[in-house]
Amino acid sequence: MSVWKSLLLISTVVLFACSQQVSSIKSSTHDSVSVNGGYLLLSVDSDVDLEELKVAGQKNFFLGAADLTAGNHYILIDLPAGHYQIESVKLNQRWQLHLKSGFWNFRVQHGQISYIGELQLKGRIPELENRASMALQYLEQHHAALLNNYQVRYSGPGEDHYFEYVEGRGAAK
């Protein structure tokens, strides 16, 4: 094996060896973020149970099978602010989808809830769909305390100002 291939293999192993598993915040009583952090909110919609979702960035982490059961689930995570990328989705012991950089990049903003969309794994090609109104409804029902303390902003691909629009409508009432 060439030196370059060996170095690439070693760096990949080291990168993911530093990953730690995180779990979504279930309790509505969790209402404060770490000093240099923000919240990531995403939804995962899959026809099958998934084994793992790997994310690299300011903090390398992965979500495990407990958060990735079949169906539609919201996942809220306290993370350090910074740039991230969804790298892969492990379907089972044999199948894993490696996602290309670019479309799967996002940013967690300090002191905000950063919504990146709904990861849909129902067909051959994974998609990231913006379902901002449904995400806001989830937060209102399950994490109202966070909404009192933190702004929600869309941080997925493209631009969307739905959350700012809703805040403006609330202030006008």
Side-chain angles (χ1 to χ4, degrees):
M1 188 180 329
S2 75
V3 172
W4 291 112
K5 286 182 182 178
S6 297
L7 288 174
L8 181 61
L9 179 63
I10 290 169
S11 64
T12 302
V13 169
V14 168
L15 175 68
F16 286 113
C18 297
S19 295
Q20 72 180 62
Q21 184 171 358
V22 297
S23 297
S24 70
I25 299 167
K26 308 286 190 231
S27 169
S28 62
T29 60
H30 191 280
D31 62 358
S32 63
V33 71
S34 60
V35 175
N36 293 317
Y39 289 98
L40 166 64
L41 177 65
L42 76 141
S43 173
V44 177
D45 190 7
S46 174
D47 288 337
V48 298
D49 292 343
L50 303 172
E51 192 167 312
E52 188 176 84
L53 178 85
K54 285 186 182 177
V55 179
Q58 186 69 27
K59 173 182 178 179
N60 296 327
F61 68 93
F62 65 93
L63 293 161
D67 284 316
L68 301 170
T69 56
N72 189 312
H73 306 283
Y74 282 93
I75 298 170
L76 181 68
I77 307 166
D78 181 356
L79 291 173
H83 294 278
Y84 293 87
Q85 176 186 333
I86 300 172
E87 291 206 332
S88 64
V89 179
K90 192 173 187 179
L91 305 174
N92 55 39
Q93 291 294 337
R94 293 183 181 195
W95 295 97
Q96 184 168 333
L97 300 171
H98 293 277
L99 305 173
K100 293 182 179 180
S101 64
F103 187 74
W104 303 99
N105 296 355
F106 61 92
R107 181 172 173 80
V108 172
Q109 297 286 349
H110 172 73
Q112 293 183 355
I113 301 169
S114 299
Y115 170 69
I116 64 167
E118 179 177 276
L119 176 60
Q120 295 183 351
L121 296 159
K122 291 187 164 189
R124 291 174 157 289
I125 301 172
E127 296 182 56
L128 193 58
E129 293 286 330
N130 182 358
R131 306 251 190 260
S133 62
M134 293 177 0
L136 184 58
Q137 186 176 35
Y138 165 79
L139 287 170
E140 290 170 345
Q141 292 173 355
H142 299 280
H143 298 283
L146 285 178
L147 285 176
N148 292 330
N149 298 317
Y150 301 97
Q151 293 180 327
V152 185
R153 293 293 178 258
Y154 179 70
S155 296
E159 288 190 29
D160 183 3
H161 300 284
Y162 173 77
F163 296 115
E164 292 95 325
Y165 171 76
V166 170
E167 283 176 8
R169 299 272 304 168
K173 289 183 182 177

